[in-house]
Amino acid sequence: MKPKVLVTREVFDETLQYLAGHCDVESNQGDMPLDTAGLARRLADKAGVICSLTDRIDGELVQRCPGLKVVSNIAVGYNNIDVAACSARNIMVTNTPGVLDDSTADLAWTLMLATARRLTEVEGNIRSGQWQGWQLKQWLGVDVHHATLGILGMGRIGQAIARRALGFDMRVIYHNRTRVAADIEQRLAATYAGKDELLAQADFLILQVPYSPQTHHLIGACELKKMKPGAILINSTRGGVVDDAALIQALTDGTIRAAGLDVFENEPRLNPGFLTLKNVVLTPHIGSSTEATRRAMAMTAARNAVAALVGGVPPNLLNPEVVR
Ligand code: GLV
Protein backbone atom coordinates (compact mmCIF):
# COMPACT_ATOMS: atom_id res chain seq x y z
CA MET A 1 0.00 0.00 0.00
CA LYS A 2 1.30 3.44 -0.92
CA PRO A 3 1.77 5.95 1.90
CA LYS A 4 -0.97 8.58 2.11
CA VAL A 5 -0.02 12.24 1.69
CA LEU A 6 -1.92 15.51 1.81
CA VAL A 7 -1.00 18.43 -0.43
CA THR A 8 -2.51 21.41 1.38
CA ARG A 9 -2.48 24.00 -1.44
CA GLU A 10 -2.59 24.08 -5.23
CA VAL A 11 0.61 22.81 -6.87
CA PHE A 12 1.64 22.06 -10.44
CA ASP A 13 0.51 19.04 -12.47
CA GLU A 14 4.01 17.60 -12.58
CA THR A 15 4.24 17.81 -8.78
CA LEU A 16 1.06 15.79 -8.39
CA GLN A 17 2.11 13.30 -11.07
CA TYR A 18 5.43 12.69 -9.37
CA LEU A 19 3.77 12.28 -5.98
CA ALA A 20 1.13 9.93 -7.40
CA GLY A 21 3.91 7.62 -8.62
CA HIS A 22 4.91 6.99 -5.00
CA CYS A 23 2.00 7.97 -2.78
CA ASP A 24 -1.73 7.91 -2.40
CA VAL A 25 -2.37 11.66 -2.83
CA GLU A 26 -5.16 13.81 -1.43
CA SER A 27 -4.82 17.37 -2.57
CA ASN A 28 -6.53 20.67 -2.02
CA GLN A 29 -6.36 21.92 -5.59
CA GLY A 30 -9.24 24.32 -4.83
CA ASP A 31 -6.49 26.21 -2.99
CA MET A 32 -8.57 27.61 -0.12
CA PRO A 33 -6.27 27.73 2.93
CA LEU A 34 -7.32 24.98 5.35
CA ASP A 35 -8.16 26.01 8.89
CA THR A 36 -6.71 24.14 11.85
CA ALA A 37 -9.70 21.83 12.16
CA GLY A 38 -9.75 21.06 8.43
CA LEU A 39 -6.05 20.39 8.39
CA ALA A 40 -6.28 18.10 11.43
CA ARG A 41 -9.19 16.19 9.91
CA ARG A 42 -7.45 15.62 6.60
CA LEU A 43 -4.10 14.79 8.18
CA ALA A 44 -5.41 12.29 10.72
CA ASP A 45 -4.70 9.27 8.45
CA LYS A 46 -1.72 10.67 6.50
CA ALA A 47 1.95 9.74 6.57
CA GLY A 48 3.07 12.96 4.90
CA VAL A 49 2.04 16.52 4.29
CA ILE A 50 3.28 18.88 1.59
CA CYS A 51 2.38 22.24 3.07
CA SER A 52 3.04 25.93 2.67
CA LEU A 53 3.71 28.92 4.89
CA THR A 54 -0.05 29.50 5.21
CA ASP A 55 -0.40 26.22 7.13
CA ARG A 56 0.34 26.26 10.83
CA ILE A 57 1.84 22.91 11.84
CA ASP A 58 2.07 23.10 15.62
CA GLY A 59 2.39 20.70 18.53
CA GLU A 60 -1.33 20.34 18.99
CA LEU A 61 -1.83 19.42 15.35
CA VAL A 62 0.93 16.83 15.15
CA GLN A 63 -0.38 15.23 18.32
CA ARG A 64 -3.60 14.53 16.42
CA CYS A 65 -1.74 12.88 13.51
CA PRO A 66 -0.33 9.61 14.87
CA GLY A 67 0.90 8.27 11.52
CA LEU A 68 2.64 11.44 10.34
CA LYS A 69 6.25 10.86 9.28
CA VAL A 70 7.12 13.95 7.25
CA VAL A 71 6.16 17.62 7.07
CA SER A 72 7.50 19.03 3.81
CA ASN A 73 7.23 22.80 3.52
CA ILE A 74 7.14 24.47 0.09
CA ALA A 75 9.30 27.36 1.31
CA VAL A 76 12.75 27.98 2.65
CA GLY A 77 11.38 29.70 5.77
CA TYR A 78 9.69 27.31 8.20
CA ASN A 79 8.46 29.52 11.01
CA ASN A 80 4.97 28.06 10.37
CA ILE A 81 6.18 24.69 11.71
CA ASP A 82 6.99 23.74 15.30
CA VAL A 83 10.10 21.74 14.46
CA ALA A 84 10.77 20.76 18.10
CA ALA A 85 7.25 19.31 18.42
CA CYS A 86 7.79 17.34 15.20
CA SER A 87 11.18 16.08 16.37
CA ALA A 88 9.65 14.96 19.66
CA ARG A 89 7.31 12.72 17.63
CA ASN A 90 10.03 11.58 15.20
CA ILE A 91 8.45 13.51 12.33
CA MET A 92 10.89 14.71 9.69
CA VAL A 93 10.65 18.37 8.64
CA THR A 94 12.00 19.61 5.32
CA ASN A 95 12.17 22.89 3.38
CA THR A 96 13.25 24.07 -0.08
CA PRO A 97 16.56 25.94 0.20
CA GLY A 98 18.72 26.88 -2.76
CA VAL A 99 16.19 26.83 -5.59
CA LEU A 100 14.74 30.24 -4.72
CA ASP A 101 17.81 32.29 -3.82
CA ASP A 102 18.18 34.16 -7.09
CA SER A 103 14.49 34.89 -7.62
CA THR A 104 14.14 36.18 -4.08
CA ALA A 105 17.27 38.31 -4.47
CA ASP A 106 15.82 39.71 -7.72
CA LEU A 107 12.65 40.74 -5.87
CA ALA A 108 14.63 42.46 -3.10
CA TRP A 109 16.42 44.38 -5.84
CA THR A 110 13.13 45.14 -7.59
CA LEU A 111 11.90 46.75 -4.37
CA MET A 112 15.15 48.62 -3.86
CA LEU A 113 15.17 50.12 -7.35
CA ALA A 114 11.43 50.80 -7.27
CA THR A 115 11.55 52.68 -3.95
CA ALA A 116 14.66 54.63 -4.96
CA ARG A 117 12.88 55.88 -8.09
CA ARG A 118 9.43 56.23 -6.47
CA LEU A 119 7.76 53.80 -8.82
CA THR A 120 4.40 53.64 -7.04
CA GLU A 121 4.02 57.43 -7.07
CA VAL A 122 5.15 58.02 -10.63
CA GLU A 123 3.13 55.20 -12.10
CA GLY A 124 0.07 56.43 -10.20
CA ASN A 125 0.68 59.89 -11.65
CA ILE A 126 0.65 58.59 -15.21
CA ARG A 127 -2.26 56.19 -14.74
CA SER A 128 -4.44 58.88 -13.18
CA GLY A 129 -3.87 61.16 -16.17
CA GLN A 130 -2.16 63.84 -14.09
CA TRP A 131 1.19 63.95 -15.86
CA GLN A 132 1.73 67.39 -17.33
CA GLY A 133 5.03 66.68 -19.09
CA TRP A 134 8.74 66.75 -18.35
CA GLN A 135 10.14 68.97 -15.59
CA LEU A 136 13.72 69.17 -14.35
CA LYS A 137 12.80 68.77 -10.69
CA GLN A 138 10.00 66.29 -11.10
CA TRP A 139 9.92 63.07 -9.08
CA LEU A 140 13.52 63.25 -7.96
CA GLY A 141 14.67 59.94 -6.62
CA VAL A 142 17.93 58.70 -5.13
CA ASP A 143 20.78 56.76 -6.72
CA VAL A 144 21.27 53.10 -6.04
CA HIS A 145 24.62 52.97 -7.80
CA HIS A 146 27.58 53.93 -5.58
CA ALA A 147 25.34 53.96 -2.50
CA THR A 148 25.95 51.88 0.64
CA LEU A 149 23.93 48.68 0.78
CA GLY A 150 23.45 47.12 4.22
CA ILE A 151 22.33 43.50 4.36
CA LEU A 152 21.02 42.12 7.64
CA GLY A 153 21.21 38.33 7.30
CA MET A 154 23.97 37.03 5.04
CA GLY A 155 22.77 33.52 4.21
CA ARG A 156 22.37 32.28 0.66
CA ILE A 157 19.77 34.91 -0.30
CA GLY A 158 21.70 37.73 1.39
CA GLN A 159 24.76 36.68 -0.58
CA ALA A 160 22.80 36.61 -3.85
CA ILE A 161 21.63 40.17 -3.08
CA ALA A 162 25.22 41.25 -2.42
CA ARG A 163 26.42 39.65 -5.65
CA ARG A 164 24.07 41.84 -7.64
CA ALA A 165 25.47 44.96 -5.95
CA LEU A 166 28.84 44.42 -7.62
CA GLY A 167 27.34 45.52 -10.91
CA PHE A 168 26.02 48.71 -9.33
CA ASP A 169 29.36 49.76 -7.79
CA MET A 170 27.79 49.76 -4.35
CA ARG A 171 29.63 49.58 -1.06
CA VAL A 172 28.27 46.50 0.71
CA ILE A 173 28.24 46.05 4.47
CA TYR A 174 26.47 43.23 6.26
CA HIS A 175 25.59 41.91 9.67
CA ASN A 176 24.97 38.28 10.46
CA ARG A 177 24.90 36.10 13.57
CA THR A 178 28.17 34.62 12.40
CA ARG A 179 30.60 36.26 10.04
CA VAL A 180 30.78 34.58 6.61
CA ALA A 181 34.01 33.00 5.38
CA ALA A 182 36.76 35.40 4.30
CA ASP A 183 36.75 34.14 0.69
CA ILE A 184 33.00 34.86 0.40
CA GLU A 185 33.47 38.36 1.86
CA GLN A 186 36.23 38.93 -0.64
CA ARG A 187 34.27 37.63 -3.62
CA LEU A 188 31.27 39.81 -2.71
CA ALA A 189 33.39 42.78 -1.65
CA ALA A 190 31.28 42.80 1.50
CA THR A 191 32.47 44.10 4.86
CA TYR A 192 31.21 42.84 8.21
CA ALA A 193 29.65 45.48 10.46
CA GLY A 194 28.03 45.57 13.87
CA LYS A 195 24.24 45.93 13.81
CA ASP A 196 24.29 49.58 14.94
CA GLU A 197 27.01 50.42 12.43
CA LEU A 198 24.92 48.80 9.70
CA LEU A 199 21.86 50.82 10.71
CA ALA A 200 23.84 54.06 10.83
CA GLN A 201 25.66 53.65 7.53
CA ALA A 202 23.28 51.95 5.10
CA ASP A 203 21.55 54.03 2.44
CA PHE A 204 19.55 50.89 1.64
CA LEU A 205 18.97 48.29 4.33
CA ILE A 206 17.73 44.90 3.14
CA LEU A 207 16.46 42.41 5.73
CA GLN A 208 17.10 38.77 4.99
CA VAL A 209 17.10 37.07 8.40
CA PRO A 210 14.72 34.16 9.05
CA TYR A 211 11.78 34.91 11.35
CA SER A 212 11.95 33.42 14.85
CA PRO A 213 11.24 34.59 18.40
CA GLN A 214 14.81 35.97 18.36
CA THR A 215 14.22 38.10 15.24
CA HIS A 216 10.69 39.25 16.17
CA HIS A 217 10.64 43.06 15.77
CA LEU A 218 14.37 43.10 15.10
CA ILE A 219 13.63 46.43 13.44
CA GLY A 220 11.44 48.59 15.67
CA ALA A 221 11.20 52.27 16.61
CA CYS A 222 14.62 52.30 18.26
CA GLU A 223 16.42 50.73 15.27
CA LEU A 224 14.57 52.95 12.78
CA LYS A 225 15.82 56.01 14.69
CA LYS A 226 19.38 54.76 14.29
CA MET A 227 19.02 54.73 10.48
CA LYS A 228 19.94 57.64 8.21
CA PRO A 229 17.02 60.02 7.58
CA GLY A 230 17.44 59.41 3.84
CA ALA A 231 17.62 55.63 4.18
CA ILE A 232 15.35 53.11 2.49
CA LEU A 233 14.31 49.86 4.20
CA ILE A 234 13.54 46.70 2.23
CA ASN A 235 11.85 43.73 3.88
CA SER A 236 11.82 40.72 1.61
CA THR A 237 12.09 38.06 4.28
CA ARG A 238 9.18 37.65 6.74
CA GLY A 239 6.57 39.82 8.38
CA GLY A 240 7.25 40.19 12.08
CA VAL A 241 10.95 40.92 11.61
CA VAL A 242 9.79 44.55 11.38
CA ASP A 243 7.42 46.24 13.81
CA ASP A 244 4.99 47.46 11.14
CA ALA A 245 3.31 50.09 13.34
CA ALA A 246 6.71 51.59 14.18
CA LEU A 247 7.68 51.54 10.50
CA ILE A 248 4.50 53.35 9.48
CA GLN A 249 5.29 56.02 12.09
CA ALA A 250 8.88 56.34 10.84
CA LEU A 251 7.72 56.66 7.22
CA THR A 252 5.12 59.24 8.23
CA ASP A 253 7.42 61.49 10.25
CA GLY A 254 10.42 61.20 7.91
CA THR A 255 12.65 59.18 10.25
CA ILE A 256 13.54 57.23 7.08
CA ARG A 257 12.82 58.05 3.45
CA ALA A 258 10.92 55.05 2.14
CA ALA A 259 10.32 51.30 2.36
CA GLY A 260 9.87 48.45 -0.07
CA LEU A 261 7.90 45.62 1.47
CA ASP A 262 7.05 42.15 0.26
CA VAL A 263 6.05 40.79 3.67
CA PHE A 264 3.91 42.04 6.53
CA GLU A 265 2.70 41.25 9.99
CA ASN A 266 -0.65 39.44 9.87
CA GLU A 267 -0.66 38.63 6.16
CA PRO A 268 -2.87 39.11 4.27
CA ARG A 269 -4.55 41.66 6.59
CA LEU A 270 -1.69 44.12 6.55
CA ASN A 271 -1.75 47.29 8.63
CA PRO A 272 -3.99 49.70 6.65
CA GLY A 273 -1.58 52.51 7.53
CA PHE A 274 0.67 51.30 4.70
CA LEU A 275 -2.02 51.83 2.07
CA THR A 276 -2.15 55.60 2.36
CA LEU A 277 1.61 56.17 2.46
CA LYS A 278 3.19 57.47 -0.73
CA ASN A 279 6.73 56.45 0.19
CA VAL A 280 6.21 52.68 0.12
CA VAL A 281 6.29 50.09 -2.61
CA LEU A 282 4.19 47.08 -1.64
CA THR A 283 4.18 43.57 -3.12
CA PRO A 284 2.10 40.62 -1.85
CA HIS A 285 4.72 38.11 -0.61
CA ILE A 286 5.97 37.18 -4.08
CA GLY A 287 9.71 36.95 -3.33
CA SER A 288 10.16 33.53 -4.92
CA SER A 289 7.25 33.80 -7.31
CA THR A 290 8.56 33.16 -10.78
CA GLU A 291 7.13 30.23 -12.67
CA ALA A 292 10.43 28.35 -12.83
CA THR A 293 11.22 28.88 -9.16
CA ARG A 294 7.78 27.99 -7.82
CA ARG A 295 7.81 24.82 -9.96
CA ALA A 296 11.26 23.95 -8.59
CA MET A 297 10.12 24.61 -5.01
CA ALA A 298 7.04 22.40 -5.33
CA MET A 299 9.09 19.59 -6.89
CA THR A 300 11.79 19.89 -4.23
CA ALA A 301 9.13 19.59 -1.53
CA ALA A 302 7.60 16.56 -3.27
CA ARG A 303 11.01 14.87 -3.53
CA ASN A 304 11.73 15.56 0.13
CA ALA A 305 8.42 13.97 1.13
CA VAL A 306 8.88 10.90 -1.08
CA ALA A 307 12.44 10.35 0.15
CA ALA A 308 11.21 10.43 3.74
CA LEU A 309 8.33 8.06 3.05
CA VAL A 310 10.29 5.43 1.12
CA GLY A 311 12.75 5.14 3.97
CA GLY A 312 15.51 7.48 2.85
CA VAL A 313 16.91 10.67 4.26
CA PRO A 314 15.36 13.68 2.50
CA PRO A 315 17.93 16.02 0.95
CA ASN A 316 16.66 19.04 2.89
CA LEU A 317 16.05 17.56 6.30
CA LEU A 318 15.86 20.24 9.01
CA ASN A 319 15.83 17.92 12.03
CA PRO A 320 18.44 15.20 11.31
CA GLU A 321 18.21 14.06 14.93
CA VAL A 322 15.05 12.10 14.04
CA VAL A 323 16.93 9.74 11.70
CA ARG A 324 19.93 9.09 13.93
C1 GLV B 1 9.01 32.13 1.05
O1 GLV B 1 8.63 33.08 1.65
C2 GLV B 1 9.93 31.15 1.56
O2 GLV B 1 10.27 31.16 2.76
O3 GLV B 1 10.33 30.30 0.77
Side-chain angles (χ1 to χ4, degrees):
M1 218 172 58
K2 288 178 180 174
K4 289 186 176 180
V5 297
L6 173 70
V7 181
T8 65
R9 300 295 303 266
E10 187 177 8
V11 290
F12 300 93
D13 288 349
E14 75 266 14
T15 328
L16 289 178
Q17 274 158 20
Y18 170 77
L19 282 169
H22 304 270
C23 310
D24 179 356
V25 184
E26 177 180 328
S27 71
N28 172 28
Q29 294 305 287
D31 208 31
M32 281 307 291
L34 299 171
D35 61 16
T36 312
L39 201 52
R41 194 168 0 93
R42 289 176 182 237
L43 270 185
D45 63 342
K46 302 296 184 298
V49 58
I50 288 94
C51 58
S52 79
L53 51 89
T54 58
D55 302 305
R56 200 176 146 72
I57 312 286
D58 58 17
E60 212 177 304
L61 179 76
V62 295
Q63 206 180 358
R64 292 163 73 182
C65 310
L68 199 59
K69 290 196 173 62
V70 60
V71 174
S72 175
N73 215 29
I74 310 181
V76 66
Y78 49 89
N79 53 296
N80 56 311
I81 302 169
D82 184 337
V83 180
C86 290
S87 299
R89 301 191 148 258
N90 274 326
I91 298 168
M92 293 182 235
V93 181
T94 63
N95 68 342
T96 63
V99 292
L100 47 72
D101 300 346
D102 283 313
S103 300
T104 307
D106 283 353
L107 197 270
W109 266 83
T110 303
L111 289 173
M112 180 158 68
L113 291 165
T115 44
R117 302 304 288 269
R118 306 169 63 176
L119 208 71
T120 307
E121 287 176 89
V122 297
E123 205 201 358
N125 181 260
I126 290 196
R127 282 184 189 272
S128 64
Q130 291 177 63
W131 188 36
Q132 301 285 328
W134 189 91
Q135 285 174 273
L136 185 72
K137 288 165 69 178
Q138 197 176 41
W139 304 117
L140 300 175
V142 290
D143 286 325
V144 171
H145 65 84
H146 295 95
T148 296
L149 170 61
I151 302 174
L152 187 52
M154 198 60 147
R156 279 180 312 263
I157 300 173
Q159 290 175 30
I161 291 167
R163 205 156 54 236
R164 285 154 175 74
L166 291 167
F168 280 71
D169 298 314
M170 297 183 89
R171 170 177 171 245
V172 177
I173 53 178
Y174 77 95
H175 184 72
N176 200 47
R177 242 180 338 185
T178 47
R179 200 169 161 163
V180 301
D183 63 316
I184 298 177
E185 282 188 358
Q186 206 173 10
R187 213 176 320 125
L188 298 174
T191 307
Y192 186 80
K195 188 179 160 201
D196 280 354
E197 198 187 339
L198 190 82
L199 294 171
Q201 292 190 14
D203 297 309
F204 296 89
L205 177 64
I206 301 188
L207 307 177
Q208 209 52 66
V209 290
Y211 179 71
S212 70
Q214 290 71 43
T215 60
H216 179 73
H217 287 187
L218 191 63
I219 301 294
C222 167
E223 289 74 20
L224 289 159
K225 279 200 188 81
K226 290 180 180 167
M227 291 175 70
K228 286 183 178 175
I232 290 179
L233 178 72
I234 306 298
N235 188 6
S236 47
T237 183
R238 275 287 185 277
V241 172
V242 176
D243 177 344
D244 283 353
L247 177 58
I248 289 166
Q249 187 58 47
L251 290 164
T252 307
D253 63 24
T255 304
I256 63 168
R257 178 189 297 270
L261 305 168
D262 186 46
V263 289
F264 308 89
E265 292 190 278
N266 280 321
E267 292 174 13
R269 288 173 294 282
L270 67 162
N271 189 319
F274 283 124
L275 302 179
T276 49
L277 286 173
K278 289 202 164 63
N279 50 346
V280 289
V281 175
L282 309 173
T283 53
H285 203 147
I286 54 162
S288 59
S289 190
T290 67
E291 175 147 2
T293 294
R294 285 284 165 89
R295 281 185 190 276
M297 288 166 69
M299 200 48 118
T300 302
R303 289 208 178 95
N304 280 329
V306 168
L309 294 173
V310 300
V313 177
N316 306 117
L317 184 60
L318 290 164
N319 53 349
E321 62 273 19
V322 302
V323 294
R324 269 188 211 124

